[in-house]
Amino acid sequence: MEDQEMQLKVRRVTDKFTESMYVLANEPSVALYRLQEHVRRSLPELVQHKTDMQSWEEQSQGAIYTVEYACSAVKSMNNSSLYFKNIDSLLHQAISTKEQINNSQGRR
């Protein structure tokens, strides 16, 4: 009988000890300490990723500006076909006028 009582007492003590250890291990201050450790370890890597992303964003913005500028240049070239046709007709007129002048001077 005494042996069973002793086992019951030992079981209670070990259960209380286990519960105390569990509470101590999961205390909020310990959780905050572990959270702080995690942040301290992962923060430099996150900062590096942020810096890389900002650099890539700047490069992307530059490339986008270049592409938009090239597109506007192509559109303006498309719109300038009227001017090129006008220049072409003026050149043809100048050439025919020059030939007429040369022909009239050749007759003299």
Side-chain angles (χ1 to χ4, degrees):
M1 183 85 169
E2 217 173 281
D3 197 29
Q4 286 181 345
E5 284 180 34
M6 184 62 94
Q7 284 181 356
L8 184 62
K9 287 180 182 179
V10 167
R11 180 180 225 91
R12 278 191 218 149
V13 168
T14 55
D15 286 346
K16 290 288 184 183
F17 182 73
T18 303
E19 184 182 337
S20 297
M21 291 303 291
Y22 181 78
V23 168
L24 184 62
N26 292 311
E27 185 183 7
S29 62
V30 173
L32 291 175
Y33 173 74
R34 290 190 178 148
L35 183 63
Q36 178 190 5
E37 275 185 332
H38 172 72
V39 168
R40 185 176 47 82
R41 271 189 260 126
S42 63
L43 191 63
E45 186 178 342
L46 290 173
V47 168
Q48 183 62 42
H49 284 301
K50 181 182 178 185
T51 305
D52 292 344
M53 292 300 287
Q54 287 174 337
S55 172
W56 292 337
E57 181 186 15
E58 289 173 6
Q59 291 174 357
S60 298
Q61 289 297 328
I64 289 170
Y65 175 77
T66 302
V67 168
E68 287 176 349
Y69 185 73
C71 286
S72 69
V74 168
K75 286 178 184 174
S76 67
M77 289 172 81
N78 229 359
N79 296 336
S80 64
S81 65
L82 176 66
Y83 299 111
F84 284 118
K85 288 178 185 176
N86 190 16
I87 291 170
D88 185 46
S89 70
L90 289 173
L91 285 172
H92 283 294
Q93 286 178 4
I95 290 170
S96 66
T97 305
K98 176 67 174 161
E99 287 175 354
Q100 287 176 0
I101 292 172
N102 286 343
N103 288 340
S104 68
Q105 286 178 353
R107 290 184 194 159
R108 288 188 188 165

